[in-house]
């Protein structure tokens, strides 16, 4: 690893990606998307993964979030070795520890904002009343308490993305992963989302890993990681960020 | 899983046109299945309410169209275990014309012993006394009364073929309980009109004192007449009824095969719907799994959706059948299939079968899409657009 | 007129293989069920429509619906045979046969029992039924309690092979041969000598007389002669018409076939509609593009209706093939049902005629047309601008 650990924090890194290789087989061709990549992310950090398309950033994000598995190498999040978990253990792990934010929001169209946020909470043993409290809190954080009963169709893109963020934080995970969260939004809505993410990082100490093309989005992050052709090309800690 | 029910319900009606069409295309075939099942059950139905298990019939060994001498009656009566014996002659003939819708069973009998053997028959209109006192009195089954809208006291004219002549009867009693699709009159009417039939009997009915007697008697009676000019065939009421069904040919096989194919048709239609909706929701399912939904849960959600959809269709199909049943039965009675419709009623077993079939269809139709949805790698699902 | 190339539709059906396949199979099964039931009805009525000659006259007691209810005294037969119009055989005797009909309750090979007509005949009986021939063994000898059995009956009932004996209490007939009547009425019968049969059953007379008449004029004269003689109280029915009237035995099964067929067709129609709606919604942008290119609403409508008809037509073809396979394999044997006019079994084979197959195809085209109409109009009346914007 070329990058140095700038802060003398006593806490161990939250995410450790160790010599990860990811290959896909399409027909007869073997495609190497990640080629022995290693990376650590500290708890409470806000990392932007950047790079041209096909550089492997979404794949890396998927590996960290436990929705894909490396061909070789290890991925650890906290004390858990994500890359070694069984399918069902992974699902359980995701529901507790990771919140997802997608470019196309991916809300369930037939459910209201409230029900969308409640969806991952249905996987917890929480009672209906407890779930209500959590959902209302999450929606108030994203500023949509007055839109609870709207369906995705009745919301603007920015609002949809805020519901998606509320869904991601509803279970109070330690880690948030976002794949181009502003990619489908106009500048103003995008800015709102970025401010919200910043606040989640600052105020609620969520560790955020975000894939983005958008320089403005990247500017909000504390650390910029550039990927190209499946290897880490550049790792920069943004000026003025303390973590 | 209960907490996911609202989600499943919403998914069922996500594409309203599709759901409605699918439900309609399950509903109609299921309606047909209910009808077929009821027809089949009606063939096996026991209108006597269990009393038939104590009865035997004796007919000519050659076939039902040959007569036995009435002299057999006292010989049968003196056998141990026999409580009562009576006679029954098939009149044949025609009412109005020979069309199928004017076909019903007409029997010449001895009223008093007849009512003792068929003691499950209860007169609901008129009285047995009026019927027995009027030589040309007619006792009519309730179902038949309803079919023709006859009234008590009305005159009914039958034209004889086996027993040539024109006979006019007056409706004196209406009964229910036994086979309600026939008419019964005093056989002396026929003996007077056609003397050569005096002393000839088509069928003896025996009422036994116990089930053991029912088992024992057939062999005894048939042995008794084995070498006479009029050999007999003695059967239980059940066997006798089955022989009529068996005369129709392999009706059971026909109806069961059609039912099976209809189930297949429903399955194909439902499977098509589920395949279409699962295909459209690949991304959404990947998102759910990203959120931490287990494979099993996804499987349950998709299966739940297909089962609910199918059950909706099933419920409506059964409901349609139940609602339309009275009218439908009337229609059947005057259709060319009238002869088979008389024993039809709402059999709980058939309604349950209807639900069972839809449940099965729901599970099977959802199975492949459910498994595929659960198995698809999340990353693949997320990559797919729309 | 269509404008939009038909290839476009056919390819689209192929692209959506799974859905197309499921729908085609669904429609196919509906058509196949319809065809099989109708083939059953056709089989029954074919027995009656092909039975009997229009030169033969069946003499019955007045008002009898069938031979079973009819009866002629011994003394009546010579009177009948002297009436004008009957053809003389080469030996100079009238070409006629006095016959006796009784139904026998026989055990079926596959369990259960049914009634079979036992027909007592005179020596000219076979000449009166052209097309009927012995296929195995020999003719019965009068007075010997022998019988010949149709091949179809022998296949369905026990104890009917040559050398076996049919027995009822004290009655016995030795089976000495098999015959085939080309699918006509005698194929449901067992034949024996009428005099022996009268003795066995102690019958004082016959059921009927079947007579060949010289020609149309002779036939009419003979029938009129019977009607004209009030003492006889007999009537003559043209044999072909007598059997023709019994085709009503097939009415219940026809009714049943149409009833099941139509309801199932409506169900399958909804299924096709579903598939077409999905096809339309999956191709929203494509349709809008076509419209933007200048294709008219009518052309879009026609194109989708056409696609739906092709879909259903494939189903119809599959259904016809399934029906044919079923009738040639599982349903290829003879089967029987009871004709309640005669209380005896009619033995018949399923008849899947070209006309029925054509009905099946037309049936499927209707399903496709009605199933496609609504989805096609959704496609045709879609707003181009909205549709172009829609994703996926």
């Amino acid at each position: 690893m070329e990058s140095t650990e700038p802060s003398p924090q006593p806490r161990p890194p939250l995410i450790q990606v160790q010599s990860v290789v990811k290959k896909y087989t399409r027909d007869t061709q073997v495609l190497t998307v990640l080629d022995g990549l290693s990376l650590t992310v500290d708890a409470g950090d806000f990392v932007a993964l950047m790079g041209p398309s096909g550089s492997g950033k979404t794949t890396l994000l998927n590996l960290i979030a436990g929705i894909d598995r490396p061909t070789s190498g290890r991925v650890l999040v906290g004390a858990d070795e994500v890359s070694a978990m069984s399918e069902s253990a992974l699902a359980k792990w995701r529901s507790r520890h990771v919140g997802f934010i997608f470019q196309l929001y991916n809300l369930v169209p037939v459910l209201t904002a409230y029900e969308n946020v409640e969806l991952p909470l249905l996987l917890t043993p929480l009672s209906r009343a407890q779930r209500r409290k959590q959902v209302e809190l999450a929606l108030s954080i994203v500023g949509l308490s007055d839109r609870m009963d709207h369906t995705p169709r009745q919301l603007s893109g920015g609002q949809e993305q805020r519901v998606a963020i509320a869904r991601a934080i509803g279970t109070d995970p330690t880690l948030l992963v976002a794949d181009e969260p502003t990619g489908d939004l106009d500048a103003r809505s995008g800015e709102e989302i970025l401010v919200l993410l910043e606040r989640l990082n600052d105020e609620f100490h969520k560790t955020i890993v975000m894939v983005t093309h958008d320089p403005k989005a990247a500017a909000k992050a504390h650390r910029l990681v550039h990927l190209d052709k499946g290897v880490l090309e550049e790792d920069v800690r943004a000026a003025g960020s303390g973590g | 899983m209960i907490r996911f029910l609202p989600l499943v319900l919403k998914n069922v009606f996500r594409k309203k046109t599709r759901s409605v069409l699918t439900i309609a295309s399950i509903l109609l075939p299921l309606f047909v299945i209910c009808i077929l099942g009821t027809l089949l059950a009606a063939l096996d139905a026991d209108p006597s309410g269990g009393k038939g298990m104590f009865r035997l019939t004796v007919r000519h060994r050659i076939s039902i169209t040959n007569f036995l001498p009435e002299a057999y009656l006292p010989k049968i009566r003196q056998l141990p275990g026999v409580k009562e014996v009576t006679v029954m002659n098939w009149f044949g003939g025609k009412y109005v014309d020979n069309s199928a819708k004017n076909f019903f069973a007409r029997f010449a009998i001895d009223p008093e012993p007849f009512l003792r053997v068929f003691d499950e028959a209860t007169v609901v209109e008129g009285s047995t006394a009026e019927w027995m006192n009027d030589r040309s009195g007619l006792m009519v089954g309730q179902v038949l009364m309803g079919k023709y809208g006859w009234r008590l006291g009305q005159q009914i004219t039958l034209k004889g073929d086996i027993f040539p002549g024109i006979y006019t009867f007056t409706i004196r009693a209406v009964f229910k309980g036994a086979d309600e699709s026939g008419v019964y009159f005093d056989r002396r009417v026929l003996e007077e009109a056609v003397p050569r039939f005096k002393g000839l009997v088509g069928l003896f009915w025996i009422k036994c004192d116990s089930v053991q007697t029912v088992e024992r008697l057939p062999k005894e009676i048939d042995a008794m007449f084995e070498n006479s000019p009029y050999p007999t065939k003695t059967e239980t009421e059940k066997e006798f009824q089955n022989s009529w069904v068996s005369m129709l040919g392999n009706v059971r096989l026909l109806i069961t095969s059609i039912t099976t194919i209809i189930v297949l048709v429903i399955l194909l239609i439902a499977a098509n719907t589920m395949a279409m909706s699962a295909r459209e929701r690949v991304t959404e399912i990947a998102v759910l799994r990203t959120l931490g939904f287990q494979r099993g849960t996804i499987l349950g959600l998709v299966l739940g959706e297909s089962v609910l959809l199918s059950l909706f269709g099933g419920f409506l199909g059964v409901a349609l059948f139940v609602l339309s049943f009275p009218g439908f039965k009337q229609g059947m009675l005057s259709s060319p299939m009238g002869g088979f419709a008389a024993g039809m009623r709402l059999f709980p077993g058939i309604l349950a079968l209807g639900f069972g079939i839809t449940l099965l269809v729901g599970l099977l139709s959802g199975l492949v899409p459910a498994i595929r949805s659960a198995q698809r790698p999340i990353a693949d699902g997320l990559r797919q657009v729309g | 007129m269509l404008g939009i190339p038909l290839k476009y539709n056919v390819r689209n059906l192929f692209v959506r293989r799974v859905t197309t396949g499921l729908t085609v199979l669904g429609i196919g099964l509906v058509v196949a069920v319809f065809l099989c039931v109708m083939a059953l009805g056709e089989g029954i009525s074919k027995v009656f429509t092909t039975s009997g000659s229009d030169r033969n006259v069946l003499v019955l007691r007045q008002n009898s619906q069938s031979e079973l209810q009819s009866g002629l005294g011994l003394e009546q037969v010579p009177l009948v045979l002297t009436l004008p119009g009957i053809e003389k055989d080469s030996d100079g005797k009238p070409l006629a046969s006095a016959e006796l009909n009784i139904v026998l309750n026989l055990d079926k090979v596959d369990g259960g029992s049914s009634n079979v007509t036992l027909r007592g005949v005179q020596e000219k009986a076979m000449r009166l039924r052209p097309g009927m021939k012995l296929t195995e063994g020999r003719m019965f000898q009068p007075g010997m309690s022998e019988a010949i059995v149709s091949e179809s009956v022998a296949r369905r009932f026990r104890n009917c092979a040559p050398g076996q004996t049919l027995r009822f209490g004290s009655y016995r007939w030795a089976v000495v041969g098999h015959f085939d009547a080309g699918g006509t009425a005698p194929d449901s019968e067992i034949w024996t000598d009428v005099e022996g049969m009268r003795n066995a059953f102690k019958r004082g007379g016959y059921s009927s007389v079947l007579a060949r008449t010289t020609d149309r004029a002779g036939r009419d004269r003979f029938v009129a002669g019977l009607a004209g003689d009030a003492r006889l109280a007999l009537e003559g029915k043209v044999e072909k018409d007598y059997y023709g009237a019994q085709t009503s035995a097939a009415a219940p099964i026809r009714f049943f076939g149409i009833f099941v067929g139509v309801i199932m067709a409506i169900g399958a129609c909804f299924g096709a509609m579903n598939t077409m709606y999905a096809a339309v919604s999956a191709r929203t942008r494509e349709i809008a593009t076509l419209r933007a290119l200048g294709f008219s609403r009518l052309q879009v409508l026609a194109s989708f209706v056409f696609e739906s008809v092709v879909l259903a037509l494939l189903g119809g073809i599959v259904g016809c093939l399934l029906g044919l396979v079923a009738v040639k394999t599982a349903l290829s044997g003879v089967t029987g049902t009871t004709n309640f006019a005669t209380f005896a079994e009619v033995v018949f084979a399923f008849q899947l005629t070209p006309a029925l197959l054509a009905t099946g195809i037309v049936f499927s085209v209707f399903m496709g047309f009605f199933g496609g109409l609504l989805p096609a109009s959704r496609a045709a009346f879609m707003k181009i601008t909205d549709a172009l914007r829609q994703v996926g």
Side-chain angles (χ1 to χ4, degrees):
Chain A
M1 251 194 304
E2 268 182 76
S3 77
T4 53
E5 287 288 334
S7 59
Q9 281 174 347
R11 281 186 292 174
L14 179 69
I15 304 169
Q16 301 177 53
V17 177
Q18 301 171 347
S19 327
V20 156
V21 175
K22 180 69 186 175
K23 290 178 179 169
Y24 285 110
T25 317
R26 287 275 175 270
D27 299 323
T28 50
Q29 280 193 313
V30 178
L31 208 70
T32 306
V33 183
L34 293 177
D35 198 0
L37 184 139
S38 297
L39 177 75
T40 55
V41 176
D42 293 328
D45 210 344
F46 186 168
V47 181
L49 292 177
M50 305 189 69
S53 64
S55 59
K57 46 191 196 310
T58 296
T59 302
L60 177 59
L61 193 74
N62 288 348
L63 291 176
I64 292 171
I67 57 177
D68 207 349
R69 272 180 238 233
T71 313
S72 66
R74 302 204 312 162
V75 178
L76 288 101
V77 177
D80 304 310
E81 187 176 347
V82 178
S83 51
M85 278 192 235
S86 76
E87 188 61 44
S88 84
L90 260 182
K92 203 166 193 173
W93 177 80
R94 283 195 301 269
S95 71
R96 294 216 183 122
H97 300 288
V98 194
F100 285 85
I101 303 156
F102 304 94
Q103 177 176 1
L104 293 171
Y105 339 127
N106 283 337
L107 298 178
V108 179
V110 288
L111 299 181
T112 61
Y114 179 93
E115 290 166 329
N116 264 293
V117 178
E118 193 192 21
L119 207 51
L121 292 171
L122 293 176
L123 299 169
T124 64
L126 294 181
S127 73
R128 179 187 286 266
Q130 288 167 314
R131 296 202 298 266
R132 170 158 281 274
K133 233 177 86 190
Q134 294 275 92
V135 172
E136 281 170 355
L137 176 66
L139 281 169
S140 76
I141 290 172
V142 302
L144 284 176
S145 297
D146 55 340
R147 292 283 192 277
M148 270 189 216
D149 297 324
H150 291 227
T151 57
R153 200 187 284 253
Q154 296 163 320
L155 298 171
S156 71
Q159 288 170 329
E160 276 196 76
Q161 192 60 299
R162 274 152 50 191
V163 174
I165 292 173
R167 178 176 66 184
I169 60 174
T171 50
D172 197 20
T174 37
L175 174 65
L176 289 182
V177 297
D179 193 353
E180 304 271 11
T182 58
D184 214 48
L185 294 173
D186 59 74
R188 227 196 72 201
S189 308
E191 178 62 24
E192 279 173 20
I193 295 300
L194 290 171
V195 169
L196 186 55
L197 288 178
E198 215 174 9
R199 189 173 149 226
L200 288 172
N201 178 244
D202 269 4
E203 204 173 307
F204 298 92
H205 311 294
K206 303 289 175 206
T207 309
I208 301 179
V209 181
M210 170 175 75
V211 164
T212 188
H213 274 118
D214 179 3
K216 266 193 233 155
K220 299 280 181 191
H222 303 161
R223 182 176 164 200
L224 303 179
V225 175
H226 284 265
L227 263 64
D228 195 20
K229 292 178 188 134
V231 291
L232 212 139
E233 214 182 47
E234 202 184 356
D235 190 348
V236 199
R237 184 143 294 276
S241 67
Chain B
M1 281 307 272
I2 287 296
R3 51 174 70 186
F4 298 117
L5 196 63
L7 174 64
V8 174
L9 272 173
K10 284 189 169 167
N11 278 336
V12 169
F13 290 105
R14 174 175 291 203
K15 294 230 163 172
K16 293 209 176 49
T17 320
R18 174 183 301 163
S19 309
V20 168
L21 286 172
T22 307
I23 287 172
S25 54
I26 292 175
L27 180 164
L28 288 172
L30 201 76
F31 177 68
V32 177
I33 290 181
C34 286
I35 289 171
L36 294 181
T38 304
L39 271 178
L40 203 58
L43 292 177
D44 293 327
D46 176 10
S48 72
K51 298 218 174 186
M53 63 189 284
F54 293 108
R55 279 195 290 260
L56 293 171
T57 67
V58 184
R59 59 172 176 81
H60 198 294
R61 179 73 186 88
I62 290 287
S63 82
I64 190 105
T65 61
N66 291 59
F67 289 102
L68 292 170
E70 195 174 348
Y72 281 9
L73 192 138
K75 291 183 186 164
I76 295 172
R77 175 169 296 149
Q78 49 90 31
L79 292 169
V82 174
K83 281 175 80 177
E84 186 64 70
V85 189
T86 192
V87 301
M88 182 183 270
N89 276 347
W90 172 258
F91 172 74
K94 68 179 174 191
Y95 171 67
V96 185
D97 56 29
N98 272 311
S99 66
K101 76 173 165 42
N102 282 326
F103 175 83
F104 52 85
R106 298 129 196 169
F107 299 105
I109 45 123
D110 289 339
E112 221 171 316
F114 174 81
L115 286 175
R116 283 202 296 273
V117 171
F118 292 90
D119 54 354
E120 71 269 23
T122 44
V123 169
V124 289
E125 258 185 272
S127 72
T128 46
E130 283 172 73
W131 176 46
M132 287 190 241
N133 290 336
D134 182 354
R135 178 69 60 90
S136 62
L138 196 65
M139 183 170 77
V140 183
Q142 210 174 21
V143 169
L144 201 63
M145 282 298 268
K147 174 181 167 185
Y148 287 106
W150 288 339
R151 296 174 319 276
L152 213 58
Q154 189 171 339
Q155 297 209 315
I156 303 297
T157 300
L158 300 177
K159 198 168 178 188
D161 40 27
I162 307 170
F163 304 90
I166 288 167
Y167 305 83
T168 301
F169 299 99
T170 314
I171 301 178
R172 293 298 181 198
V174 178
F175 73 96
K176 64 167 192 178
D179 178 5
E180 294 171 24
S181 58
V183 302
Y184 299 83
F185 55 84
D186 196 324
R187 72 180 169 122
R188 283 173 295 181
V189 174
L190 298 185
E191 292 184 344
E192 282 159 17
V194 195
R196 68 188 150 104
F197 283 107
K198 199 164 168 55
L200 296 181
V201 170
L203 206 60
F204 290 101
W205 281 96
I206 304 170
K207 189 176 165 190
C208 303
D209 61 352
S210 69
V211 181
Q212 286 74 23
T213 309
V214 169
E215 277 173 23
R216 187 194 52 172
L217 272 186
K219 274 196 196 100
E220 265 179 46
I221 295 174
D222 291 345
M224 188 159 76
F225 302 118
E226 169 83 50
N227 290 314
S228 81
Y230 308 97
T232 58
K233 179 162 180 178
T234 307
E235 292 170 302
T236 63
E237 180 167 304
K238 185 89 208 157
E239 287 165 343
F240 183 67
Q241 284 165 349
N242 281 342
S243 73
W244 287 93
V245 179
S246 138
M247 276 169 71
L248 282 175
N250 220 332
V251 177
R252 284 195 180 77
L253 183 66
L254 178 73
I255 294 184
T256 15
S257 353
I258 293 179
T259 309
T260 316
I261 297 178
I262 295 178
V263 173
L264 265 177
V265 171
I266 307 183
L267 187 60
L268 287 170
I269 291 171
N272 193 11
T273 300
M274 286 315 296
M276 290 191 287
S277 54
R279 191 171 335 127
E280 288 161 2
R281 258 181 266 156
V282 166
T283 308
E284 191 175 311
I285 285 166
V287 170
L288 289 180
R289 291 200 50 213
T290 307
L291 296 180
F293 278 66
Q294 297 281 357
R295 279 189 166 146
T297 313
I298 298 291
L299 201 75
L301 288 179
V302 178
L303 274 183
E305 184 178 337
S306 65
V307 166
L308 267 180
L309 186 68
S310 178
L311 279 180
F312 268 116
F315 176 77
L316 291 177
V318 171
L320 177 69
F321 175 68
V322 170
L323 288 179
S324 65
F325 183 74
F328 176 73
K329 186 172 175 185
Q330 275 306 317
M332 284 294 280
L333 282 171
S334 40
S335 79
M337 297 178 74
F340 317 122
M344 282 173 49
R345 57 189 177 84
L346 291 171
F347 298 99
I350 298 301
L351 305 186
L353 177 75
F355 282 113
I357 286 174
T358 41
L359 186 67
L360 186 76
V361 163
L363 285 173
L364 289 180
S365 67
L367 204 57
V368 173
I371 291 173
R372 287 180 58 168
S373 298
Q375 294 296 342
R376 182 175 284 114
I378 304 176
D380 282 5
L382 286 177
R383 209 174 295 132
Q384 195 151 339
V385 177
Chain C
M1 141 75 200
L2 272 173
I4 300 170
L6 306 184
K7 269 194 298 204
Y8 168 81
N9 302 101
V10 176
R11 279 191 196 149
N12 269 308
L13 285 175
F14 184 71
V15 167
R16 304 161 49 79
R17 283 187 277 285
V18 175
T19 295
T20 302
L22 289 172
T23 314
V24 163
L25 210 54
I27 294 175
L29 285 176
V30 170
V31 171
V33 166
F34 172 74
L35 287 180
C36 288
V37 178
M38 293 311 273
L40 182 72
E42 191 70 25
I44 298 175
S45 54
K46 194 194 164 207
V47 171
F48 296 114
T49 52
T50 57
S51 289
S53 142
D54 53 6
R55 274 181 64 196
N56 287 355
V57 172
L58 186 66
V59 183
L60 300 171
R61 183 200 292 154
Q62 261 172 15
N63 285 326
S64 299
Q65 287 309 310
S66 71
E67 291 175 87
L68 196 70
Q69 295 134 6
S70 166
L72 283 85
L74 283 184
E75 72 292 348
Q76 287 183 308
V77 176
L79 297 177
V80 168
L81 296 184
T82 53
L83 288 173
I86 301 184
E87 182 154 276
K88 295 280 186 288
D89 202 2
S90 49
D91 57 5
K93 291 182 189 161
L95 190 50
S97 166
E99 303 183 346
L100 180 60
N101 248 25
I102 278 180
V103 296
L104 296 177
N105 192 256
L106 296 184
D107 291 332
K108 290 188 197 172
V109 171
D110 53 3
S113 66
S114 194
N115 291 333
V116 179
T117 299
L118 173 67
R119 182 183 291 276
V121 299
Q122 294 180 329
E123 54 160 324
K124 299 195 190 298
M126 239 162 148
R127 304 234 2 239
L128 285 159
R129 286 146 177 117
M132 184 173 161
K133 56 180 187 298
L134 277 174
T135 52
E136 204 183 334
R138 57 173 174 84
M139 189 65 184
F140 60 81
Q141 286 191 332
M144 298 294 290
S145 278
E146 290 176 346
I148 54 173
V149 180
S150 94
E151 289 195 332
S152 309
V153 169
R155 229 171 288 152
R156 291 179 48 75
F157 293 90
R158 292 178 198 274
N159 297 326
C160 286
Q164 287 184 308
T165 304
L166 289 165
R167 98 183 56 208
F168 295 89
S170 53
Y171 311 107
R172 275 168 181 66
W173 291 276
V175 177
V176 295
H178 281 174
F179 63 85
D180 177 76
T184 62
D187 270 341
S188 308
E189 298 177 342
I190 299 173
W191 279 20
T192 184
D193 153 46
V194 71
E195 299 310 324
M197 189 168 152
R198 283 204 315 110
N199 278 335
F201 291 102
K202 303 184 177 51
R203 290 295 171 97
Y206 303 99
S207 305
S208 61
V209 172
L210 184 67
R212 166 78 47 84
T213 53
T214 50
D215 50 20
R216 184 170 287 267
R219 185 183 84 192
D220 294 345
R221 213 162 44 239
F222 180 60
V223 171
L226 282 166
D229 193 333
R231 288 166 307 149
L232 286 174
L234 299 175
E235 65 179 316
K237 289 184 175 170
V238 176
E239 194 192 20
K240 194 164 184 58
D241 302 345
Y242 170 77
Y243 285 112
Q246 293 181 20
T247 45
S248 61
I253 194 76
R254 284 240 165 90
F255 173 81
F256 177 77
I258 290 171
F259 178 81
V260 170
V262 166
I263 298 189
M264 290 303 296
I266 298 173
C269 199
F270 287 139
M273 223 183 262
N274 234 344
T275 305
M276 288 312 295
Y277 268 123
V280 169
S281 88
R283 305 213 297 263
T284 301
R285 283 174 69 170
E286 239 171 276
I287 296 162
T289 310
L290 287 171
R291 295 267 289 114
L293 290 176
F295 287 100
S296 74
R297 293 210 148 114
L298 192 65
Q299 282 167 324
V300 170
L301 184 87
S303 169
F304 275 90
V305 169
F306 172 79
E307 186 168 323
S308 174
V309 168
V310 169
L311 183 72
L313 196 63
L314 287 174
I317 293 168
V318 167
C320 285
L321 291 176
L322 285 177
L324 274 175
V325 168
V327 168
K328 291 279 180 253
T329 58
L331 308 175
S332 63
V334 289
T335 181
T337 186
T338 293
N339 174 6
F340 283 98
T342 58
F343 257 101
E345 173 137 315
V346 197
V347 179
F348 63 93
F350 281 71
Q351 296 289 335
L352 192 48
T353 59
L356 272 184
L357 289 175
T359 316
I361 295 285
V362 171
F363 199 50
S364 68
V365 169
F366 267 96
M367 282 189 243
F369 181 77
F370 288 109
L373 215 49
L374 287 176
S377 35
R378 176 182 285 183
F381 290 95
M382 186 179 282
K383 270 200 183 144
I384 306 180
T385 45
D386 292 355
L388 278 175
R389 212 176 297 136
Q390 190 176 321
V391 182

